[in-house]
Amino acid sequence: MRTVDILDTTLRDGEQTAGVNLNTEEKIEIAKRLEKLGVDVMEAGFPAASKGDLEAVRKVASIVKNSSVTALARSNKSDIDAAWEALKNSAEPRLHVFIATSPIHMTYKLKKTPDQVVEAAVQSVRYARKKFSVVQWSAEDACRSDLLFLTRIVEKVIDAGAKVINIPDTVGFINPEEYGKIFTYLRENVPNIDRAILSAHCHDDLGMAVANSLSAIENGADQVECTINGIGERAGNASLEEIAVALAIREDFYQAKTNLKLNEISRTSQLVSRLTGIAVPPNKAVVGKNAFAHESGIHQDGVLKEKSTYEIITPELVGVPSNQLVLGKHSGRHAFKNYLSKLGFHPDENKVNNVFEEFKKLADRKKEMTEEDILALLIDHRIQP
Ligand code: KIV
Ligand code: ZN
């Protein structure tokens, strides 16, 4: 069983979610929780972006002791200097430097030839290594890059001293099979690849960020980059909780584990949602309000007999106290009776049948049945606790 490192980028790529702006105190609160969750590396920000971000990264870096702290820089000296300024007092500083490698980005955004991009990448890593002992290098828009060019530039930056090579699917364009093949190809064709670890970084534009990240792991990635609740640019990044729980539940298949304390997931998700103002959709895997809620009679009956019939993840695994049997028009008599007994009511079968009939009529008219609705029905039928 190998261990995959988790690089959480909630405080950097996650903060790039439209409408999100975290102040220093908020970043510190999230960073402390990420440290409790056990992330191996946290990307705290982009110090060259603003004085405020530099200050926030500096504070996070000075407080966090049990995770490595990293910060982003473009391939120029002033960005790298700003990142060093922010990270120099950190216990385990890491620089994350990037440059785009796709023809689209090189031509229109950077206005550089491929050779100039290789030169800039190599110079930036060499410069960074004078300050940082760990330098992570990213090929922005790697998945729309020419694979031979990617192979060449990766070899050069490893020679220049990069210890982590990140292959971002910047625009969420790739699918799991293709993404996996890039990792296999690089492992087999970059001669010095053993001197670095490979990392995956996926965006969710086509809804495949988590599947792509898992495919990268299957094909030799030893680090995945992700965010809490999958927040991030546009459709967001791969969500940390989904990757971590998929690895844990399907350990038999992936043969890989993380250092995360999974039972911190729910609290971390709630904190990030509250401080960013980005609500978690109710049906979101692992952390959505409905992730452990059963509504239909067939499912409720199954879960009451044996939880594993419809629950592959135990709520306790991710820090949720228990599952929920939600009463609605699809609910069955078994779940209804169970609900009444949890409220302290144990009517005889006849009374259960009568009140259940009334409950079904009401449930047909209402979207959600509340505890008050059930209590009112019990009072109507003169049922005492
Ligand atoms: O998506 C991306 O390409 C990035 C890089 C800066 C790593 O976030
Ligand atoms: Zn990104």
Side-chain angles (χ1 to χ4, degrees), residues 46-159:
F46 184 10
S50 72
K51 278 212 161 69
D53 214 38
L54 191 151
E55 208 35 52
V57 176
R58 195 207 307 271
K59 288 248 167 70
V60 167
S62 67
I63 288 169
V64 169
K65 298 285 174 247
N66 298 314
S67 307
S68 162
V69 179
T70 189
L72 189 67
R74 287 165 295 189
S75 298
N76 63 60
K77 287 184 177 171
S78 63
D79 273 28
I80 296 169
D81 290 345
W84 177 245
E85 206 38 50
L87 292 172
K88 65 184 178 197
N89 295 323
S90 144
E92 271 183 71
R94 173 191 291 202
L95 180 76
H96 180 187
V97 63
F98 75 100
I99 194 162
T101 53
S102 67
I104 299 176
H105 279 237
M106 291 190 291
T107 308
Y108 298 108
K109 190 180 78 174
L110 300 177
K111 300 190 194 313
K112 283 191 195 300
T113 65
D115 285 348
Q116 287 170 326
V117 168
V118 173
E119 184 56 21
V122 166
Q123 290 309 332
S124 69
V125 172
R126 278 207 191 118
Y127 182 72
R129 277 303 308 271
K130 291 186 184 146
K131 298 163 189 277
F132 292 88
S133 58
V134 182
V135 172
Q136 163 169 334
W137 179 82
S138 282
E140 192 190 18
D141 206 16
C143 297
R144 292 190 299 170
S145 304
D146 175 73
L147 198 47
L148 291 180
F149 178 62
L150 200 57
T151 309
R152 176 176 148 220
I153 195 168
V154 166
E155 183 184 350
K156 297 272 188 217
V157 294
I158 294 175
D159 271 343

Side-chain angles (χ1 to χ4, degrees), residues 12-13 16 43 72 96 98 136 138-141 166 168-171 201 203 225 237:
R12 198 278 296 170
D13 227 349
Q16 289 177 218
E43 187 165 45
L72 189 67
H96 180 187
F98 75 100
Q136 163 169 334
S138 282
E140 192 190 18
D141 206 16
N166 186 36
D169 182 21
T170 304
V171 290
H201 176 115
H203 281 268
E225 307 197 358
N237 287 57

Side-chain angles (χ1 to χ4, degrees), residues 263-316:
N263 61 3
E264 290 289 334
I265 282 180
S266 172
R267 295 171 73 189
T268 314
S269 160
Q270 285 169 21
L271 178 73
V272 168
S273 174
R274 181 164 62 78
L275 295 184
T276 58
I278 304 294
V280 177
N283 63 330
K284 168 93 170 60
V286 182
V287 290
K289 172 172 156 279
N290 294 347
F292 302 103
H294 306 277
E295 206 259 359
S296 84
I298 296 169
H299 288 213
Q300 292 177 335
D301 183 53
V303 165
L304 284 168
K305 288 173 177 151
E306 166 53 45
K307 286 184 180 155
S308 63
T309 49
Y310 290 102
E311 271 175 21
I312 59 159
I313 311 164
T314 62
E316 299 79 16

